[in-house]
Amino acid sequence: MDTSPTLLVVAHGSRDPRHAATVSALCARVRALRPGLRVEVGYLDFNAPAVPRVLERLAAEGAREVVALPLLLTRAFHAKSDIPAALREATARLPRLTVHQADVLGPSSLLTAALERRLAEAGLRPGDRRSTGIVLAAAGSSDPEAIAVIAETAREWRRTAGWCAVRPAFASASLPRTADAVRELRAEGVARVAVAPYVIAPGFLPDRITRGAREARADVLAPVLGPAPELARLLLRRYDASATAPAGRPARPALIA
């Protein structure tokens, strides 16, 4: 084991057992990419171990530095409030442990590469781009910053990848819903519509995206991002940026990062 800071992947958690299984598979891929790096998982809710318990165990085992990496695609409530609060509460009781909060995963060209991978697995081919509209279906948020980032991700993906349209949609909190976005593209004359879930793991909101895609009879429904190799590489990219950033000045991701 090397002396690099421990990577603590901070996941939301879910009652759906597929969520934790997906997080575990993603972390296993990260370990395979960076042998020797200690990778742990902590959850905010529903699953164990909770983030504070992981930090307590690491401190008891002699760890001195941790990078806490939110397994989130946008900077919304969990990244801005829940996770910092959990880290502050834990580190106040663990004075010998230094914890750096890494930035969220998105936006990133690696995420759109993972979306492309999942669409290809669902049957789309390069020659389909000019006749296919994509619904970029996110979980949704009441945070305007997070919604703006999803909209910009959709615009940039269309510009760089050549799909005839890319429209954002949301499973909660924001509009349009997945089914409505599919219908809008159909009404505009798009020949084929594919839904690309912009979520990491299965669960309640991803299932709502699936129901919306089927309700509106989308031609293609891609799987969630899951343990895509691009996602594993992105976790390490965010880890490295946080581990080397000056104290108090975390690196912020650019759209092409």
Side-chain angles (χ1 to χ4, degrees), residues 129-220:
R129 292 179 185 273
R130 291 186 179 180
S131 61
T132 302
I134 305 296
V135 174
L136 181 66
S141 173
S142 58
D143 187 303
E145 178 187 353
I147 297 306
V149 168
I150 298 296
E152 178 59 24
T153 298
R155 286 191 292 269
E156 183 69 7
W157 189 16
R158 183 194 180 201
R159 185 186 69 80
T160 57
W163 301 105
C164 77
V166 179
R167 300 288 172 79
F170 305 95
S172 68
S174 310
L175 297 175
R177 295 288 186 258
T178 302
D180 293 331
V182 172
R183 294 185 184 108
E184 287 170 6
L185 288 173
R186 291 253 192 253
E188 293 171 12
V190 174
R192 181 187 294 105
V193 178
V195 173
Y198 194 52
V199 292
I200 293 172
F204 177 74
L205 293 178
D207 284 351
R208 183 178 286 179
I209 290 171
T210 296
R211 289 195 298 272
R214 290 174 176 166
E215 173 192 329
R217 297 185 179 180
D219 299 286
V220 175

Side-chain angles (χ1 to χ4, degrees), residues 41-56:
V41 181
Y43 294 93
L44 295 176
D45 204 355
F46 301 116
N47 299 100
V51 171
R53 303 293 84 76
V54 179
L55 292 174
E56 290 166 4

Side-chain angles (χ1 to χ4, degrees), residues 92-117:
R93 296 181 286 99
L94 305 168
R96 295 186 178 182
L97 187 66
T98 299
V99 179
H100 310 275
Q101 182 178 333
D103 220 322
V104 296
L105 299 177
S108 173
S109 58
L110 284 171
L111 287 172
T112 50
L115 289 165
E116 295 273 356
R117 172 186 294 276

Side-chain angles (χ1 to χ4, degrees), residues 66-121:
V66 173
V67 171
L69 197 163
L71 197 61
L72 301 169
L73 299 178
T74 59
R75 276 179 50 79
F77 179 78
H78 294 304
K80 294 177 179 179
S81 181
D82 280 0
I83 294 175
L87 297 180
R88 283 194 303 268
E89 186 274 334
T91 54
R93 296 181 286 99
L94 305 168
R96 295 186 178 182
L97 187 66
T98 299
V99 179
H100 310 275
Q101 182 178 333
D103 220 322
V104 296
L105 299 177
S108 173
S109 58
L110 284 171
L111 287 172
T112 50
L115 289 165
E116 295 273 356
R117 172 186 294 276
R118 296 304 187 222
L119 286 169
E121 290 171 355

